[in-house]
Amino acid sequence: MQFNILILRYKEKLMSIKVLYFIILYLILKIILIIFFIKPYDYNTWSLVGIWEGFANLNPEFVEKGSLVFKKGGYDGQFFYFITKYLLSENIPLPVLDSFYLRFQRIGMSLSILPLVKLFGIQFYPFLLMTLLSCFHIISFIALRALCDIDKKIFALFYLFSPFSLNSDLLLVADSFVTSLSLISLYFINSLTSKNILRAKFMALVSIASFTLSIFVKESALFLIVALILYFFYFL
């Protein structure tokens, strides 16, 4: 009994803290993790991309000056970078990837970061993509929190500080991004019940756009359709 009372007190205290403070804490944690990640590589942010020497040799036109190339390993983040570089550049051959069709099916994240890269330059790719992923994660957290009942909003914090999302962003891969887009899509679908026709149409367009983009980020977003069917069946 005392334990339950203690839990309720902590829950009330957490709920009384402004959402902005949790977002700031999330950003501080992320910055710390990034620093620890890039420290062994002389704080070179290109270490986040994880370009393997083998693919660097196969795609010399795609390796930027100052890029960090790993002798062993590498991450999937390199493939999103190669595709972004290809979309950005003219008169450059198609990149050699581990699976050409699979990687180009997941072109959504490269298309999303492309305007920022065009504006600021490909040399800032790691920073720009990390910023994009962080912003979408925060937006999706706010969306998830809005979808929760008042007494359940606290559980959205588990999503905000999810190790899965943090690790995904540190490797600059698409897993957290597709999750963010799916949650944003679900939020706008939930808003379709608005009596304002223009607002409902806007919500529908944003939801469709977000969901369509998520499919091209990673095909696993198609499983959201099952969740949407259940949602419409039970709640609308």
Side-chain angles (χ1 to χ4, degrees), residues 170-209:
L170 283 175
L171 299 178
L172 297 182
V173 293
D175 299 272
S176 69
F177 190 45
V178 72
T179 305
S180 298
L181 289 171
S182 299
L183 283 171
I184 293 169
S185 179
L186 186 59
Y187 169 78
F188 281 104
I189 286 174
N190 184 66
S191 303
L192 292 178
T193 53
S194 173
K195 294 181 180 180
N196 187 314
I197 297 176
L198 289 176
R199 175 181 168 83
K201 286 183 177 180
F202 172 76
M203 295 294 183
L205 287 173
V206 175
S207 178
I208 292 170

Side-chain angles (χ1 to χ4, degrees), residues 79-207:
F79 303 122
F80 296 107
Y81 161 68
F82 288 148
I83 294 172
T84 304
K85 174 81 172 182
Y86 172 73
L87 295 174
L88 180 69
S89 307
E90 296 181 1
N91 302 319
I92 193 171
L94 284 167
V96 179
L97 310 173
D98 60 341
S99 177
F100 182 84
Y101 293 105
L102 174 65
R103 298 303 175 183
F104 267 86
Q105 283 175 358
R106 300 176 177 178
I107 200 172
M109 190 162 77
S110 297
L111 289 174
S112 299
I113 192 63
L114 191 60
L116 290 175
V117 172
K118 281 186 175 181
L119 183 62
F120 295 102
I122 193 68
Q123 66 270 24
F124 299 111
Y125 173 84
F127 172 77
L128 293 174
L129 184 54
M130 182 64 73
T131 302
L132 179 76
L133 295 175
S134 300
C135 288
F136 269 87
H137 185 69
I138 292 170
I139 293 170
S140 63
F141 158 69
I142 295 172
L144 176 61
R145 193 173 181 277
L147 288 169
C148 295
D149 295 331
I150 294 177
D151 60 333
K152 301 289 193 307
K153 291 184 184 295
I154 188 174
F155 295 111
L157 292 175
F158 288 102
Y159 170 73
L160 179 64
F161 295 101
S162 166
F164 163 82
S165 296
L166 288 168
N167 185 62
S168 174
D169 289 355
L170 283 175
L171 299 178
L172 297 182
V173 293
D175 299 272
S176 69
F177 190 45
V178 72
T179 305
S180 298
L181 289 171
S182 299
L183 283 171
I184 293 169
S185 179
L186 186 59
Y187 169 78
F188 281 104
I189 286 174
N190 184 66
S191 303
L192 292 178
T193 53
S194 173
K195 294 181 180 180
N196 187 314
I197 297 176
L198 289 176
R199 175 181 168 83
K201 286 183 177 180
F202 172 76
M203 295 294 183
L205 287 173
V206 175
S207 178

Side-chain angles (χ1 to χ4, degrees), residues 18 25 78 125 145 202 228:
K18 292 182 179 180
L25 183 61
Q78 63 187 316
Y125 173 84
R145 193 173 181 277
F202 172 76
L228 292 178

Side-chain angles (χ1 to χ4, degrees), residues 19-29 138 160-161:
V19 175
L20 179 61
Y21 295 152
F22 287 115
I23 293 174
I24 292 173
L25 183 61
Y26 161 76
L27 292 174
I28 292 172
L29 174 61
I138 292 170
L160 179 64
F161 295 101

